[in-house]
Amino acid sequence: MSPYGANGTTETMAIEPTVMDGQFIKEAKDAAKSVSIIFSLNEAVGALAESLKIFKKNQVNLLHIESRSSIKVPGYEFMVEVDSTVGDIEGALENIKQKSSYFQIVTRNYKDNAEAVPWFPRKIADLDKFANQILSYGSELESDHPGFTDPVYRARRKEFADIAFHYKHGTPIPRVEYTEQEKGVWKVVFNNLTRLYKTHACYEHNHVFPLLEENCGYSEDDIPQLQQVSDFLKSVTGFQLRPVAGLLSSRDFLAGLAFRVFHSTQYIRHHTRPHYTPEPDVCHELLGHVPLFADPAFAQFSQEIGLASLGASDEYIEKLATCYWFTIEFGVTKQNGQLKAYGAGLLSSFGELEWCMSGKPELRTFDPEKTGEQKYPITEHQPVYFVTDSFESAKQKMIDFAATIPRPFGVRYDPYTETIQLLDSKRQIQKLITNINSEIRTLIDAFNKF
C-alpha cells in the first residue's frame, strides 16, 4: 500500500468508497509502524474535511483512507491509517475521538495503548500480510537438528521456505518434486503409523483416511501435494492449506484458523532420523492434521479457537495456544469406552501414539479455562493429556470460553465473502438476527414437508 501525501499534507488523499457492509481494515507494508483507526463522525457535512485538517495540524502522515456506509450507526464510517513514527499521533487521535460517535484503534503496537485492539486479518487475503513475519526461516536449523551439518538438506529446506515465502493467497501452491530419499523417509513413517491407526486413532481419522488415499494420492510410495490435499479439504469442510516458510507467532497462526486456513510445511524430516523431527514437517501435517480437518465437527472446533483469538490480549492468546496444544496437537477422546487419539502430534508420532494409550500419563477432562493454564514440555512425551467427550462438546466449551475473553466486540465468519464480521452494535446484530430468522423459516418449511 503506497502512502498518500507526506509531512502531514492531505491534498493528494483520495477517499475510496467501498460497498455496503464491505470489510476495509487494512495494514501498511510496514505493519509495525502503522496505526489504523475506525470512526463515525457526529456531524456529516464537512466533518471529514475538518478531521483531515486535524491530522495535518498534528503533522501526521496519512497512509490510507476509506469510507463505507456504517452498519453500527446511521451514516458513514471511515478508516484512516497513519504512520505512527511521525507527528503527534496521540494528540490527533484524541481530537478525532472527541468528534466521533464511534472510535476504535487497531494496531500491532497495541501494547502502547490500553484502548487499542491488536490488529487481526479481516479478509482471507490479509493472511498474506503476516505470512512471512515468521519467528525463524525454514532453512535456519538449531545446532542439535539432525540436518544441521548436512549442506544438501539445508539447501533443500531453503527451497521449500522460498516457495512459501513467495506464495500469495488465491494462487496454486507450487508442486514439489520430492527426491527418492525423501520418499523413502515418508514410506517409513507412513507404514509405521498406519499400522497403529486402526487401534489407536479416533473414528473420524480412520473414516477419512481411505478418502485421502482415493482422492489425494495418499500411499506409502509418494508424498501427496499440498494443492491437491487443499482442494479436497475445501470441497468437504471449507478448510484450505497454505505453505509457510517458518514458525509463525501463536497470534498469527491461530488467526489463520479463523478463516479455516491451516499454515502447512512442505519439507520432510532428515533421513537419518525418520522416527524423530524437532519441528512440524509434511508427515506431521498430512498424516496428523489433514484427516481431522476433513471432519465437519472438528473443522468447526478448530475454527472456534481461531475466532476466539481475534483481537484477544496476549494473556488469552497464550491460553488459546495452550488449548490448541492439548486438543488439535495432543488431544484424546473417549469413543465406545475406549481412549482414542485425535491430536496431530500423536497421530504423526508412533512413539507417543503408543505412549498416550499406555495408561502411564495422567488424563484430565478438557476444560478450556483449566487446560489453558497447564504447562507442557515440547521435547518429550506429554505427562498429561486432556480428554474430550466429542468434538461437538469441545466446540461448545470453546464457544463458552470465547465469550469470557474481554473484547469490545464479537466476531463472526462470513463464508460467502471469506471475511470476519465484527459484532459491536445492536443495529448490526439485529440485522444478522433477521437473516438468521429467515434461514430458520426456510429450514422449518423444508422440515414440514416430511
Side-chain angles (χ1 to χ4, degrees), residues 94-141:
E94 184 59 33
N95 287 338
I96 295 293
K97 183 177 180 180
Q98 292 174 2
K99 295 178 178 293
S100 302
S101 58
Y102 176 85
F103 181 87
Q104 183 67 67
I105 301 174
V106 182
T107 176
R108 280 193 178 271
N109 292 325
Y110 56 91
K111 295 180 182 179
D112 299 329
N113 190 323
E115 297 182 356
V117 171
W119 182 90
F120 58 88
R122 288 285 298 276
K123 53 188 178 183
I124 196 167
D126 286 345
L127 299 183
D128 288 342
K129 297 182 179 181
F130 64 71
N132 293 329
Q133 295 181 15
I134 51 181
L135 304 180
S136 64
Y137 205 62
S139 58
E140 299 169 358
L141 307 181

Side-chain angles (χ1 to χ4, degrees), residues 20-93:
M20 171 93 65
D21 296 346
Q23 306 301 318
F24 62 77
I25 292 182
K26 296 189 177 182
E27 190 175 33
K29 292 180 179 179
D30 193 350
K33 296 181 180 180
S34 72
V35 174
S36 295
I37 61 170
I38 309 156
F39 59 95
S40 294
L41 299 168
N42 293 322
E43 301 176 12
V45 180
L48 178 59
E50 292 301 314
S51 297
L52 296 180
K53 290 180 182 179
I54 291 175
F55 291 112
K56 183 176 182 179
K57 178 181 177 181
N58 288 275
Q59 296 291 301
V60 175
N61 286 346
L62 301 186
L63 304 177
H64 192 84
I65 183 169
E66 293 186 17
S67 65
R68 74 170 184 180
S69 181
S70 176
I71 54 178
K72 302 180 183 69
V73 295
Y76 291 89
E77 285 182 343
F78 302 95
M79 190 282 286
V80 174
E81 186 173 22
V82 301
D83 183 347
S84 62
T85 64
V86 179
D88 182 9
I89 302 296
E90 291 186 10
L93 297 189

Side-chain angles (χ1 to χ4, degrees), residues 234 238 259-260 303 412-421:
K234 180 77 171 178
F259 294 84
R260 298 204 173 199
Q303 185 177 30
R412 175 179 180 268
Y413 179 66
D414 184 343
Y416 301 110
T417 59
E418 296 183 313
T419 58
I420 298 296
Q421 295 180 339

Side-chain angles (χ1 to χ4, degrees), residues 16 92 121 208-209 238 251 348 430 432:
E16 302 176 10
V208 168
F209 208 83
R251 181 180 295 279
S348 61
Q430 286 171 345
L432 287 174

Side-chain angles (χ1 to χ4, degrees), residues 49 73 97 111 147 224 229 250 286 376 380 408 413 424:
V73 295
K97 183 177 180 180
K111 295 180 182 179
V229 176
S250 295
L286 297 183
Y376 55 86
E380 59 187 60
Y413 179 66
D424 56 359

